[in-house]
Amino acid sequence: MPLLPRSSLTGIIIIIIFTSTIMFLFSSVGRPIASKQYNCIIFTSLQALCCPLMATAAPPRLLCPTLDWPRKSLPFAASISTNCHTVLSYKHRMRRSISLSMNGCECDPTAPIGIAETRTLPVALTTASAMEQLNLAIASLNASPPSASSGIIRLQVPIPENMAAIDWLHSQDPLLPRCYFSRRSALFRNRSDLLLESLNGHCNGNGNGDGPSSVSNRLVSVAGIGSAVFFRHLRPFSFHDWSSIRRFLSMDSPLIRAYGAIRFDARSKTSSEWEPFGSFYFVIPQVEFDELEEGSVLAATIAWDDSLSWTWQNALNNVEALIRKVSSLVGRLKRHFPEASVLSSNHYPDETNWELAVNKVLHSVCQDESTLTKVVLARSTKFVTDIDLDPVTLLACLQSEGKDSYQFCIQPPNAPAFVGNTPEQLFRRSWLSISSEALAATRARGATKALDLQIEQELLSSPKDILEFSIVRDTIRDKLKAVCDNVVVEPELSVRKLPRVQHLNALVAGKLRSEDDEYVLLSSLHPTPAVCGFPMEDARQFIAETESFDRGMYAGPVGWLGGGGSEFAVGIRSALIEKGGKAFFYAGTGIVEGSDPSLEWAELEMKTSQFTNYLKQKVAVE
C-alpha cells in the first residue's frame, strides 16, 4: 500500500482528534463531566502520539488550553518530546516526590522509636559496587520488612578509596535537597581534645562509640541528599524540637546525624529568601557520602513512623526513587570558580546608613545609665550576576583556603543554598564533655612575617579589642558554668590566624551535668556576644530595631546532632545562593566604645572578600 503524503496524514490525525473529543463529550452526558484536567489528559496523550508525525507540518502548538490548572493536581506526570512542547516534566515531579518525607517535629518526642540500628555491608571497591550493595540490601528489606511501627535503619558500605565528600555532592543532581558539613583541621580538634582530656583524665574513650579511633571521630566531612526525616517549624526552636530530633538518634549508631541550622532571631520577620528554612531546619539525609581520614562510606537511611502517616513502605519507596537518581560516577571537582560578572550590587545598609547605625550604638554605650556595652552590627550585600553561582563549587573554593574553618551547605527542597566558611565554633559535645570557643576582635594578616607579627602585637595590646574579646570569653565561661562542672579557659588570651584575618581566641571547656543540658547550653550560648552583643537581650533588641534586612540563618547555629555527640559552628562568613544569579553575602562586626565607623566598614569588606573575589565587578556597588 503506497504511503500517504504527510499533509494527508496530518489531516487524518486532526479528524481523529476532533472525532474523539466529540465522542468523549457526548459520553459525559448524564454524569459529571470528567473535569478539565481529564480532558487535558486526553488531549495531551493524543498530542504525544501525534507530534512525531506533525513535527514538520506546522509549528507545534499546545492543544490543551486547560493546562493552566495547577499541575500538581494531575493524576500522572507525562514527559513529552521537546519538539511537541513539553507539557509536564516527569523529572520535575520525581524530584519533588523524592524530596518529601515526614516532619519529625510533629511526633510525640516521649514515644520511643521502635528500632534504631546501623547495618554495615561488605566492603566495596568502588562507589558503583557500593550502590549495587545498597540496592540489594534494600530489596532484602523489602522482602522482610521490620515489624516495628516506627524506626530508622542506616545501611552503610565501606569503601577503601579515599574520596572527597564535596566531589561526590557535586556529581549529584543539583535540584535535590542537600547538606554538607566539614570539620576543622586536626590541629584545632586536638587542642580541644587535649583540654577535654585534662578534665576527664582520658581522651573521651567512654564506651559510647565516639572514642578517638571510632569511625565517627575519623569523619572529615559529610555530604547528603534527600531527607529520611526532616525537622522544620515556624516557631522558635524548643526543647520539644530538640527532643524530636534526639528521638531518631542512637548512641549505637553515631553516624545517624541530623544536619541543619537555626535562625539568628526566630522572633524577627522572615524575608522571602529565608522562608523555606523556617525558624530552624534539620535533616537526616536519605543517601549520604562520608569522607573519612582513611577511606569512605556510602550510606542510605530509611526512617518511618506510622503515627506521622509515613509508613515503612512510604519510606522504602522514597529511598528507592532517590537511589535511582544517585550518580555513582564521581569526578574530581575543580577548585576554580567561573568568573561571574556583577549586573547589580546593593549593600543593606549602605555606607552612609552604616555610619549612622554605628554612631547610634556608640551613643548608647557611652550613656551612664545604659547597660549596653557591645552590639554586633551586620551587613547584607545582594549581588545579581550574569551566571548562576554554583554553591558547591563556591564551597570547594572556600575549602581550599579554609582548612582551619568549618564549611557547610544547607539546602532544603526548592530553596536557596546557605553556605559558609566559618572559623567560629559554638560548641562541640562528646558524650558529656563540652568545648566551646571565644573568638572576637579582627585584624588583617600582614604581607610579610614581620608585618604580621607587628599586627598581632597591636591586636594583643589594643584596649578596644581586648574589651570586645573579654566580653565574649567571660560570657561563654559563665554560660558553661550554669550547666557544667570543672569549667576551664585555656589560654586566657591568644591569637588565631586565618588566611585573611587574625582574631583573639581562647578555648572554654567543661562537663555537662546531664545530657538534657545540651539543649539548655545551645539555647543559652546562642547568640554569643561575638555575633549579637552584650547584654544579649538588649543587643538583640537593638539589632531588631536597627538592621533593615533579615539575617535568617546568618550568625545562627549550624551543625549536627548525633547519638554520641554534636557539633555546632556559628554561621558567619556565609552566603545565601539563589537560582537566577542571585546571592546574599553577610558579614558583621562588633561595635564597642572606641569603634570607628569607617574602620568597621573596612572590616566588613575584608570579611566578605572571600566571596566577592570570585565576582567581576562591572558596576559600582550602590
Side-chain angles (χ1 to χ4, degrees):
M1 180 178 176
L3 294 174
L4 292 172
R6 182 173 294 274
S7 57
S8 300
L9 286 173
T10 301
I12 293 171
I13 290 167
I14 292 173
I15 292 171
I16 292 172
I17 293 172
F18 179 79
T19 305
S20 300
T21 303
I22 295 298
M23 291 176 65
F24 170 78
L25 292 176
F26 273 102
S27 68
S28 301
V29 176
R31 59 179 176 85
I33 294 180
S35 82
K36 291 183 179 180
Q37 78 178 50
Y38 188 79
N39 297 345
C40 178
I41 293 169
I42 298 295
F43 281 125
T44 302
S45 302
L46 288 169
Q47 185 179 2
L49 292 170
C50 300
C51 276
L53 294 174
M54 299 174 62
T56 58
R61 294 198 309 165
L62 183 63
L63 296 180
C64 177
T66 60
L67 276 179
D68 289 335
W69 281 56
R71 291 183 176 183
K72 63 183 180 181
S73 64
L74 292 176
F76 74 103
S79 181
I80 301 173
S81 166
T82 53
N83 289 334
C84 312
H85 191 105
T86 301
V87 177
L88 183 60
S89 168
Y90 173 76
K91 286 185 178 181
H92 177 70
R93 289 298 305 273
M94 280 295 293
R95 285 171 186 140
R96 282 179 46 185
S97 65
I98 63 177
S99 70
L100 302 177
S101 62
M102 60 180 169
N103 187 347
C105 290
E106 298 172 359
C107 71
D108 176 6
T110 63
I113 207 78
I115 180 174
E117 63 180 43
T118 295
R119 302 181 185 181
T120 302
L121 307 178
V123 174
L125 297 180
T126 64
T127 53
S129 57
M131 286 297 302
E132 290 177 6
Q133 287 207 45
L134 287 178
N135 276 313
L136 289 173
I138 289 172
S140 177
L141 283 173
N142 198 12
S144 303
S147 58
S149 62
S150 64
I152 185 165
I153 297 175
R154 173 183 163 101
L155 306 170
Q156 60 182 26
V157 182
I159 305 172
E161 184 181 355
N162 189 259
M163 290 180 283
I166 201 165
D167 291 343
W168 180 86
L169 185 61
H170 189 260
S171 302
Q172 306 310 317
D173 188 335
L175 295 182
L176 293 169
R178 50 192 172 179
C179 63
Y180 178 85
F181 191 83
S182 176
R183 74 181 193 186
R184 297 190 295 187
S185 67
L187 171 65
F188 291 95
R189 290 176 64 85
N190 290 341
R191 282 181 62 194
S192 61
D193 281 344
L194 289 172
L195 188 54
L196 293 173
E197 184 180 359
S198 70
L199 291 175
N200 300 329
H202 51 74
C203 193
N204 295 333
N206 42 43
N208 68 344
D210 198 32
S213 61
S214 70
V215 173
S216 60
N217 226 34
R218 293 187 288 112
L219 203 58
V220 175
S221 59
V222 173
I225 56 175
S227 67
V229 53
F230 69 93
F231 308 87
R232 177 189 179 275
H233 212 284
L234 300 179
R235 63 169 182 259
F237 188 69
S238 66
F239 182 75
H240 171 96
D241 302 312
W242 179 83
S243 301
S244 297
I245 297 174
R246 299 284 307 169
R247 178 172 177 256
F248 286 89
L249 308 178
S250 168
M251 287 176 55
D252 296 327
S253 298
L255 290 184
I256 297 179
R257 296 174 170 182
Y259 298 87
I262 302 172
R263 276 180 67 84
F264 171 78
D265 185 357
R267 289 169 286 184
S268 62
K269 183 179 179 182
T270 303
S271 59
S272 59
E273 66 270 15
W274 287 108
E275 283 179 356
F277 293 83
S279 289
F280 59 89
Y281 174 80
F282 286 88
V283 62
I284 298 177
Q286 276 180 306
V287 179
E288 178 182 311
F289 190 92
D290 299 336
E291 175 187 351
L292 307 179
E293 291 173 353
E294 295 180 359
S296 313
V297 172
L298 185 67
T301 300
I302 306 163
W304 72 100
D305 190 341
D306 290 352
S307 69
L308 297 178
S309 300
W310 188 254
T311 65
W312 162 260
Q313 200 60 51
N314 291 143
L316 199 67
N317 293 344
N318 205 251
V319 75
E320 285 178 331
L322 180 64
I323 282 182
R324 285 195 291 268
K325 296 184 64 60
V326 175
S327 172
S328 59
L329 299 176
V330 180
R332 187 173 295 276
L333 173 59
K334 294 182 179 179
R335 267 61 173 175
H336 173 70
F337 198 76
E339 194 173 69
S341 297
V342 177
L343 303 180
S344 67
S345 180
N346 296 277
H347 290 315
Y348 304 97
D350 59 21
E351 193 166 2
T352 299
N353 286 305
W354 170 262
E355 184 174 353
L356 292 173
V358 172
N359 287 332
K360 182 180 175 182
V361 175
L362 295 175
H363 177 75
S364 296
V365 300
C366 291
Q367 296 292 318
D368 292 336
E369 67 278 8
S370 175
T371 60
L372 201 61
T373 57
K374 176 182 178 180
V375 176
V376 179
L377 293 179
R379 183 187 75 184
S380 169
T381 303
K382 181 180 180 181
F383 285 93
V384 178
T385 58
D386 61 340
I387 60 172
D388 278 0
L389 303 180
D390 177 32
V392 178
T393 302
L394 178 59
L395 197 60
C397 294
L398 297 175
Q399 191 177 54
S400 63
E401 68 168 61
K403 298 184 184 301
D404 297 331
S405 297
Y406 296 97
Q407 290 82 42
F408 62 85
C409 174
I410 306 294
Q411 188 170 20
N414 306 312
F418 179 46
V419 300
N421 182 46
T422 174
E424 186 171 352
Q425 181 187 84
L426 185 64
F427 71 84
R428 175 181 167 218
R429 178 179 71 84
S430 177
W431 188 224
L432 293 179
S433 299
I434 287 282
S435 65
S436 187
E437 183 179 56
L439 192 75
T442 307
R443 287 286 194 280
R445 294 296 302 272
T448 64
K449 287 186 177 180
L451 181 57
D452 197 57
L453 182 60
Q454 178 184 336
I455 295 172
E456 176 184 335
Q457 293 304 314
E458 290 174 358
L459 185 59
L460 286 167
S461 59
S462 165
K464 177 260 182 186
D465 291 301
I466 291 176
L467 170 62
E468 182 182 345
F469 168 76
S470 299
I471 292 171
V472 175
R473 179 197 59 203
D474 296 348
T475 300
I476 293 175
R477 180 198 61 205
D478 293 344
K479 297 292 187 184
L480 261 65
K481 282 184 175 180
V483 293
C484 293
D485 296 321
N486 304 325
V487 175
V488 296
V489 180
E490 290 186 3
E492 284 293 321
L493 185 66
S494 66
V495 173
R496 167 96 175 273
K497 292 181 181 290
L498 299 168
R500 299 175 187 273
V501 295
Q502 47 191 322
H503 306 281
L504 295 177
N505 171 250
L507 290 176
V508 188
K511 195 166 185 179
L512 288 174
R513 299 187 184 105
S514 74
E515 190 173 358
D516 285 355
D517 286 334
E518 178 184 60
Y519 169 75
V520 178
L521 189 62
L522 176 58
S523 302
S524 62
L525 275 183
H526 170 71
T528 70
V531 295
C532 182
F534 186 83
M536 186 273 288
E537 184 54 34
D538 292 345
R540 188 204 65 79
Q541 186 61 36
F542 191 100
I543 291 168
E545 295 172 354
T546 304
E547 289 185 351
S548 58
F549 68 96
D550 177 19
R551 289 192 180 191
M553 269 60 183
Y554 163 71
V558 54
W560 58 269
L561 291 162
S566 55
E567 190 162 9
F568 281 89
V570 182
I572 57 174
R573 317 291 160 82
S574 53
L576 192 67
I577 310 297
E578 290 187 322
K579 289 292 185 182
K582 295 179 183 178
F584 298 83
F585 299 156
Y586 303 94
T589 179
I591 311 300
V592 297
E593 187 175 356
S595 294
D596 180 278
S598 60
L599 293 179
E600 303 297 342
W601 183 267
E603 184 176 320
L604 296 177
E605 294 289 286
M606 182 169 53
K607 288 176 176 177
T608 56
S609 64
Q610 63 175 333
F611 296 110
T612 57
N613 282 351
Y614 296 106
L615 305 180
K616 184 178 180 181
Q617 299 283 350
K618 281 192 172 182
V619 299
V621 177
E622 299 177 3

